[in-house]
Amino acid sequence: MILNIHNSIEEIDERFWDSIIPSNEIIKTHRFLKAVEHSNINGCEYYYLLFHENGNLVANASLFVMDFFLDVIAPTPIKRICQSLRQVFPNFLKVSLLGCGTPVATCASGVTVSEKLYFKDVLTLLTQKVLEIGKDVKADCILFKECTQKEMEDFDMLQVMGFIKLDSLPTSFLDIHWKSFDEYLRSLKKKYRLFVKNDFAKLNNKRIKVEVCEDFGNHIDRIWQLYINVYNRAEVKFECLTPQFFKNINEYLASESRAIIVWLDKD
């Protein structure tokens, strides 16, 4: 198996990279990675790996390097102590992190393999190369980020190589299998249907308007301000998205991205 490394996703042909990406995994596509790379998130540096077997692309992977504070998942009292200490020691518990994936939370690993039969060889070669890169960039820790439940059995071989399996940061997702919102409501227990109906009644009384924008370029500044308001209040913080990230998503993903905007009519 042959491995090629690139320092920018733009060094790789988009159709070539995407040729093994499943159609429902936009967050692994060339255009999404391009949006992330050009967003100046946490000052990250990036690496993109291509795995070839007999002249065919069989896998790809994305890596990033960023500074990371180890107290990110610590209880709030400990965070406050660390923040106080950083007023005197700015680099307290600060490490250089080499991650497989992207700095953006995507609920997906940074590895795509065209066929399961290649997975073991790809992961073995990938780990070897990650350790080499980690040494070159003087990384203090290495993270294989957000492996899905379906992938866990395959990624468990990393534990044999000395890695420790940890739970990801909190997240949530919902598989959509209802044909309409009404069908979704009917699937809920009566108590929860009432919760939803009561919430809608409150929204109607407040004259709330919901808008789905395919092109949300004119709303970027406000969207980012709302995002940063939430970010500043969050107990767990990994990456900090930038206004440019939202601009890039709108531009590079075009019709594949949406912004759901909720307006309060004050008139």
Side-chain angles (χ1 to χ4, degrees):
M1 187 171 291
I2 298 174
L3 170 60
N4 298 127
I5 302 177
H6 299 267
N7 295 113
S8 171
I9 193 66
E10 296 208 65
E11 296 175 1
I12 304 169
D13 180 76
E14 180 175 352
R15 287 178 296 180
F16 185 64
W17 176 276
D18 288 349
S19 63
I20 61 170
I21 304 294
S23 59
N24 64 339
E25 294 192 358
I26 295 175
I27 38 106
K28 290 187 176 184
T29 61
H30 188 283
R31 51 198 177 278
F32 180 81
L33 296 176
K34 180 181 175 181
V36 173
E37 180 183 322
H38 291 180
S39 297
N40 192 29
I41 298 173
N42 292 61
C44 290
E45 297 178 8
Y46 298 92
Y47 298 86
Y48 304 93
L49 284 60
L50 300 172
F51 299 81
H52 304 265
E53 182 76 11
N54 298 323
N56 298 314
L57 180 67
V58 297
N60 59 33
S62 57
L63 309 176
F64 66 96
V65 181
M66 64 178 273
D67 289 332
F68 178 73
F69 290 102
L70 291 176
D71 59 305
V72 67
I73 57 175
T76 299
I78 294 179
K79 279 193 178 73
R80 289 172 179 165
I81 293 172
C82 293
Q83 289 168 0
S84 297
L85 287 171
R86 287 194 189 107
Q87 294 179 9
V88 181
F89 306 103
N91 293 327
F92 181 69
L93 290 184
K94 179 181 178 180
V95 299
S96 175
L97 168 71
L98 172 59
C100 180
T102 74
V104 180
T106 59
C107 301
S109 74
V111 183
T112 299
V113 182
S114 62
E115 296 182 44
K116 191 176 177 64
L117 64 92
Y118 295 118
F119 199 98
K120 183 176 181 180
D121 290 340
V122 167
L123 192 57
T124 300
L125 183 56
L126 172 62
T127 304
Q128 292 173 355
K129 184 52 63 175
V130 164
L131 291 173
E132 290 177 15
I133 294 173
K135 185 176 180 180
D136 291 340
V137 301
K138 297 181 172 56
D140 299 298
C141 57
I142 294 173
L143 171 68
F144 284 80
K145 187 171 174 275
E146 297 180 280
C147 304
T148 65
Q149 195 63 41
K150 294 179 180 179
E151 295 172 320
M152 281 312 305
E153 182 179 347
D154 296 316
F155 275 99
D156 274 346
M157 64 180 285
L158 289 172
Q159 295 179 85
V160 179
M161 303 177 191
F163 288 85
I164 300 172
K165 182 165 66 174
L166 299 172
D167 289 335
S168 295
L169 298 176
T171 188
S172 60
F173 59 91
L174 180 67
D175 290 327
I176 306 297
H177 56 267
W178 304 276
K179 295 180 180 179
S180 67
F181 185 71
D182 287 337
E183 183 179 326
Y184 163 70
L185 286 181
R186 289 194 296 271
S187 72
L188 299 177
K189 293 182 179 179
K190 182 178 179 180
K191 178 175 69 173
Y192 296 111
R193 284 202 302 272
L194 288 175
F195 285 159
V196 174
K197 290 179 180 179
N198 288 338
D199 286 340
F200 269 102
K202 292 177 183 177
L203 290 176
N204 288 333
N205 289 336
K206 292 182 179 180
R207 300 196 321 203
I208 295 291
K209 182 178 73 172
V210 179
E211 180 181 359
V212 179
C213 295
E214 184 173 303
D215 182 357
F216 49 91
N218 292 333
H219 305 297
I220 296 296
D221 291 341
R222 185 58 179 152
I223 290 173
W224 182 81
Q225 188 58 61
L226 293 170
Y227 160 78
I228 207 66
N229 289 345
V230 175
Y231 176 87
N232 288 335
R233 292 179 175 85
E235 289 191 12
V236 178
K237 302 175 183 178
F238 187 78
E239 82 285 8
C240 183
L241 303 180
T242 62
Q244 190 63 45
F245 172 77
F246 295 99
K247 292 178 183 178
N248 291 344
I249 290 296
N250 183 57
E251 179 181 350
Y252 299 156
L253 271 64
S255 62
E256 296 174 294
S257 64
R258 303 284 192 282
I260 301 175
I261 302 176
V262 183
W263 303 91
L264 174 61
D265 185 1
K266 296 183 179 180
D267 296 333

